[in-house]
Amino acid sequence: MGSEFDDAANLLAANPDATTISIDEPVEIPKNQHSHLQEPGREEDDELLGTDDSDKTELLAGQKKSAPFWTFEYYQTFFDVDTYQVLDRIKGSVFPVPGKNFVRLYIRSNPDLYGPFWICATLVFTIAVSGNLSNFFIHLGKPTYRYVPEFRKVSIAATTIYAYAWLVPLALWGFLMWRNSKVMNIVSYSFLEIVCVYGYSLFIYIPTAILWIIPQKVVRWVLVVFSLCLSGSVLVMTFWPAVRDDNRRIAVATVATILLLHALLAVGCLAYFFDAPELDIPAPIIPIIPAHNGTTVITKSH
């Protein structure tokens, strides 16, 4: 080391402008060196889906808090969110920002089941109660109508909402995994992330179901279209970057199917719970009983 230091000192004395390089210091590579090699317009999409390094970092971070699936701590992590995170994710589902991936921006750091579970539960009771109130207000004042609360609508709404919020994400997750085995660039979200997206995308239907009480079909259909545009845009901006590298027809068909199922849920709930056919109770029949002396006796039924 002493001889190397003397040689460097002699070199600097002979040429003060010379520069020395230490072999112990790593050579830094500019971060934007590889950006020129990518296709134009793809950098934003790659940023939305995340890089391999960021995904590995997040996976390693998640492994630290993992636990065996048969323990309570394993399922407790799915509900480990605070009020701020839930409200922030609800705001992101109601006011989607173009060019922003919902999973990457809100969900991937800490996916949860707390928000989707309570959003679905609130939506179930909102649709059932609003449907009964709508039916009451529509027939209010008619002498042949008698209000009877339909509690079976709660079970029907619960079955429909929770089946949609779990079975559709399960089918989509399986489809993305299958396409990922055939096309290397396909991005497969986790099942929990897809459930989060679908759960939070249903929040907009809670205030919409309350406004469906208004007995005007035009207003109801305008609300349906408005809600579909907001919640559907969240689904499209989330899943289109994941399938854009697949075959063009398959990618378009996948997104179209997602929107179609989402629209069927909204239209089906509106048609069944709010636009059901009128069921008026018929007027009581007054029987006429003939008397033995040739006269007729009219009895009133109560």
Side-chain angles (χ1 to χ4, degrees), residues 191-246:
F191 175 67
L192 185 58
E193 291 173 345
I194 298 177
V195 170
C196 280
V197 175
Y198 271 86
Y200 282 103
S201 67
L202 294 176
F203 177 82
I204 189 61
Y205 290 111
I206 296 177
T208 302
I210 297 176
L211 295 177
W212 277 345
I213 300 177
I214 302 174
Q216 298 292 332
K217 289 188 177 182
V218 176
V219 176
R220 290 175 176 178
W221 282 103
V222 170
L223 292 172
V224 169
V225 174
F226 178 75
S227 302
L228 281 176
C229 291
L230 288 180
S231 57
S233 61
V234 174
L235 298 178
V236 171
M237 289 188 296
T238 300
F239 296 109
W240 173 251
V243 299
R244 56 175 168 76
D245 289 330
D246 201 348

Side-chain angles (χ1 to χ4, degrees), residues 20-96:
T20 59
I21 300 176
S22 176
I23 59 175
D24 296 332
E25 296 179 358
V27 180
E28 296 183 357
I29 301 175
K31 296 181 180 180
N32 58 352
Q33 180 177 355
H34 300 286
S35 62
H36 301 287
L37 301 178
Q38 298 179 353
E39 299 178 9
R42 306 280 291 191
E43 298 175 2
E44 296 181 358
D45 293 339
D46 294 338
E47 184 179 357
L48 292 178
L49 295 176
T51 59
D52 295 337
D53 295 337
S54 61
D55 292 341
K56 291 178 181 178
T57 303
E58 292 170 355
L59 289 176
L60 291 175
Q63 290 177 357
K64 295 180 180 179
K65 60 178 182 180
S66 62
F69 70 92
W70 60 84
T71 60
F72 179 77
E73 289 77 9
Y74 175 80
Y75 299 97
Q76 187 178 8
T77 58
F78 299 152
F79 298 86
D80 188 15
V81 289
D82 53 21
T83 305
Y84 174 79
Q85 288 178 323
V86 174
L87 293 178
D88 193 38
R89 294 173 182 184
I90 291 175
K91 181 180 67 176
S93 66
V94 176
F95 303 102

Side-chain angles (χ1 to χ4, degrees), residues 1-23:
M1 292 294 297
S3 60
E4 293 178 357
F5 181 77
D6 295 337
D7 294 339
N10 296 331
L11 178 61
L12 290 175
N15 188 5
D17 296 332
T19 57
T20 59
I21 300 176
S22 176
I23 59 175

Side-chain angles (χ1 to χ4, degrees), residues 103-117:
V103 172
R104 184 66 182 172
L105 193 61
Y106 298 100
I107 303 300
R108 178 152 294 179
S109 60
N110 185 24
D112 72 289
L113 293 179
Y114 180 86
F117 174 81

Side-chain angles (χ1 to χ4, degrees), residues 131-143:
N132 281 302
L133 289 177
S134 175
N135 192 28
F136 173 76
F137 289 134
I138 289 176
H139 300 88
L140 183 63
K142 295 183 180 181

Side-chain angles (χ1 to χ4, degrees), residues 127-128 130-132 134 153-154 156-157 268-276:
I127 290 179
S130 299
N132 281 302
S134 175
K153 288 186 175 181
V154 177
I156 296 175
C269 290
L270 176 61
Y272 181 81
F273 295 99
F274 296 90
D275 289 339

